[in-house]
Amino acid sequence: MTEADLRDIGGVAASARVVRVVLGVGAAFFVLAGLLLIAVPAAFAGWIGLGPEVTLDPALMWSLRMLGAALLGLGGQMWLVRRSGDHPVLGAAAIMIVAGGAMTVLTVTLPGEWTPIRWALLGVGGVFVVAYAALLAASRRA
């Protein structure tokens, strides 16, 4: 089966076009969060409700910076994969359901108080997971 044959399968091209937009927005969000985690991990910890005692822990600050570096890499990959063919883009959406879903669950289980930023992260993560899932479902329609 050629790429042209696969493109004719219902919904794939249209869904992939929208997934490209979602990947771009998600990439920008991850890059911003990654930069903040690297530059100001203690402030970020406070914004998401971790208590002030954790900002004194150098190991946790290192971990938050490492998370920031990983988010920069993931955001960069998301940005680049947008230029791929339809099926690799849809594959990236499936991966983002798993990764975004895990991050959303971890946001819920994060120790500490619920701050507006934590609620916002939960909402944004949930919206991205639902968007990717809906677009993948739409790509499967005949």
Side-chain angles (χ1 to χ4, degrees):
M1 201 173 240
T2 68
E3 180 72 19
D5 295 331
L6 290 172
R7 212 173 302 132
D8 292 335
I9 297 172
V12 169
S15 292
R17 275 193 300 276
V18 180
V19 167
R20 285 182 179 91
V21 173
V22 176
L23 283 169
V25 172
F29 185 79
F30 279 177
V31 166
L32 175 63
L35 291 172
L36 288 171
L37 281 162
I38 290 170
V40 288
F44 199 96
W47 297 335
I48 61 174
L50 293 173
E53 65 280 355
V54 300
T55 60
L56 301 175
D57 182 357
L60 180 61
M61 293 303 101
W62 180 90
S63 296
L64 289 174
R65 284 189 173 104
M66 182 63 82
L67 174 61
L71 286 178
L72 285 178
L74 182 56
Q77 290 295 328
M78 290 165 65
W79 186 258
L80 292 174
V81 79
R82 296 172 325 114
R83 298 188 318 211
S84 296
D86 292 348
H87 288 83
V89 165
L90 294 176
I95 291 168
M96 291 311 300
I97 290 171
V98 174
M103 285 188 263
T104 301
V105 167
L106 289 171
T107 299
V108 170
T109 61
L110 178 74
E113 64 183 75
W114 282 83
T115 64
I117 297 292
R118 183 173 173 181
W119 279 108
L121 287 174
L122 179 63
V124 168
V127 166
F128 275 113
V129 169
V130 169
Y132 286 125
L135 289 165
L136 279 180
S139 76
R140 302 291 182 222
R141 288 189 302 189

